[in-house]
Amino acid sequence: MRRPLIGVMGAGKNATADDCELGRQLGALVAGKGWVLLSGGTALGVMDASCRAASEAGGLVVAVIAQSDDRKMSKYVDVPIFTGMLTGRNFINALSSDVMIACGTMAAGTLSEVAMSLRAEKDVILVECEADTEAFLKRLGRDKVHIERTPEAAVARAEKLLALDRPIASDQVTA
């Protein structure tokens, strides 16, 4: 059975220190679960913070890169997927995430990734997003939008969602 891909999305150049701290915590927690971190992979903001933390925790970091080369890529990416698609790469992040966790301040790029995930009927967990953004996305995505206040709670929710959506390996079935 393949390892889950957990998308951690958040602001890049406009990320606050708090946003980056959320990304750092999420990256470390995702790696600690043995999951694969999926990111936009830019060397900025939440992307860089989550990639660094996952890498330092021994996790695997996959990034869907907007450019066709590694000039703007986080040095903590293990598996880059170069697209040259700029923001079009957001479709790949949205569709490839088994569960997406979006954190902190949302700009248009992160919001588009969340909206595409919801359009594809995928679960999205919001952590420490602005109240008006949470309310809008909850109306848009209904039961596919899960609001959590801490990275730990977000990862616990992701674990529950994965258990609902993923088959149990035969060696995990008990009599």
Side-chain angles (χ1 to χ4, degrees):
M1 186 162 73
R2 72 175 175 83
R3 292 166 57 187
L5 280 166
I6 306 299
V8 174
M9 308 300 157
K13 67 181 175 183
N14 296 322
T16 67
D18 288 342
D19 296 338
C20 292
E21 178 58 20
L22 288 169
R24 185 196 67 73
Q25 290 178 38
L26 286 164
L29 291 165
V30 165
K33 289 289 185 184
W35 300 335
V36 177
L37 177 82
L38 179 66
S39 170
T42 302
L44 294 169
V46 170
M47 291 176 279
D48 194 49
S50 62
C51 291
R52 179 179 183 165
S55 178
E56 289 176 349
L60 179 64
V61 178
V62 175
V64 181
I65 308 296
Q67 294 77 26
S68 55
D69 59 50
D70 65 1
R71 285 180 286 165
K72 295 182 180 182
M73 185 180 83
S74 171
K75 67 182 181 180
Y76 302 101
V77 171
D78 296 307
V79 181
I81 301 169
F82 300 107
T83 67
M85 297 172 65
L86 303 177
T87 57
R89 62 88 186 267
N90 292 354
F91 282 105
I92 299 168
N93 278 333
L95 295 175
S96 297
S97 297
D98 291 311
V99 174
M100 180 181 288
I101 303 174
C103 66
T105 309
M106 271 200 219
T110 305
L111 189 58
S112 73
E113 288 166 324
V114 169
M116 287 178 231
S117 289
L118 295 175
R119 178 90 188 242
E121 298 185 19
K122 293 187 172 251
D123 288 293
V124 176
I125 302 166
L126 305 178
V127 183
E128 288 299 316
C129 296
E130 296 167 331
D132 57 343
T133 303
E134 287 179 354
F136 170 71
L137 290 172
K138 191 69 176 166
R139 280 193 312 274
L140 186 67
R142 295 180 185 86
D143 64 337
K144 291 293 185 180
V145 174
H146 312 275
I147 298 171
E148 298 295 347
R149 295 291 164 226
T150 67
E152 294 83 4
V155 169
R157 174 71 66 124
E159 190 166 37
K160 289 176 186 171
L161 292 168
L162 289 168
L164 293 174
D165 292 338
R166 299 176 61 82
I168 298 171
S170 60
D171 63 345
Q172 295 176 341
V173 177
T174 59

